[in-house]
Amino acid sequence: LFLIGLLFVGGAVALLLRAAAFPRLRAVQTIASITGYGYAQPPADAAIGRSSLLGPLDEIAAGIGFLFGRWLGFARESGIRKHLLAAGLYRVDPRRLVGYQVLTGAMMALLWLWIVAAGRTSGFLAFVGTIGSAACGWYLPLLLVKRRARSRLESIEYDLPELIDLLVVGVE
């Protein structure tokens, strides 16, 4: 009797796992059928995983972004999230982007200071250049995200009429 109960429990667990995985399998089949009509997903950028070389840098940027994200506030974070979603960067956290902004700003300022130290430059030019390069480094990651978002939205707007035509033909 115990073995029969164990068999039923095992069967129930197997059915629950199948029920949980079935919608995902159905979505994969639907997407595969859509690509059969000529709509293939554009080649994605190489995904950065935890095993890649940039994994530790992502963690550092996320930590720095967490510290500065609290200081910048929620309104800025929601604005950054909108830009990331428009760019199709669904897995990038806004705080990680802020971390990359801080890191890029610091690296640009350090690069400027290194260039200034190698040559003879006035103190005023060194100060203004450091502030300017830090500001450029701060804005560069967000500029790249906005550019990618604009390109992605233009691509969607370009392909939308053809998609509507295919939907109309499919309905007829």
Side-chain angles (χ1 to χ4, degrees):
L1 188 61
F2 177 73
L3 291 176
I4 293 173
L6 192 60
L7 183 67
F8 281 134
V9 169
V13 168
L15 288 174
L16 284 174
L17 289 176
R18 182 173 178 218
F22 187 72
R24 175 73 181 143
L25 295 174
R26 184 79 172 148
V28 169
Q29 290 173 350
T30 303
I31 290 173
S33 69
I34 290 172
T35 59
Y37 288 104
Y39 277 98
Q41 181 177 0
D45 296 329
I48 298 174
R50 293 289 174 210
S51 62
S52 74
L53 294 175
L54 295 179
L57 185 62
D58 277 344
E59 292 176 12
I60 292 170
I64 292 172
F66 179 74
L67 293 175
F68 279 86
R70 290 188 295 171
W71 178 64
L72 290 175
F74 181 73
R76 176 147 166 76
E77 187 175 324
S78 64
I80 291 173
R81 184 178 306 279
K82 287 179 185 177
H83 291 301
L84 289 170
L85 292 177
L89 300 172
Y90 302 113
R91 294 183 180 171
V92 177
D93 187 37
R95 291 188 178 187
R96 186 185 313 166
L97 182 67
V98 170
Y100 276 119
Q101 286 181 295
V102 171
L103 286 174
T104 307
M107 287 299 158
M108 293 287 284
L110 289 174
L111 177 66
W112 176 255
L113 287 175
W114 181 58
I115 291 171
V116 166
R120 293 185 178 250
T121 309
S122 68
F124 178 74
L125 181 63
F127 178 74
V128 170
T130 302
I131 298 299
S133 62
C136 288
W138 170 264
Y139 191 66
L140 184 66
L142 189 59
L143 180 71
L144 293 174
V145 168
K146 286 180 179 180
R147 191 171 122 199
R148 181 174 173 162
R150 187 175 350 107
S151 171
R152 182 172 178 260
L153 292 176
E154 287 173 359
S155 172
I156 289 171
E157 286 179 5
Y158 178 78
D159 289 335
L160 190 61
E162 186 177 348
L163 175 66
I164 291 171
D165 288 343
L166 283 174
L167 288 173
V168 167
V169 168
V171 169
E172 291 176 351

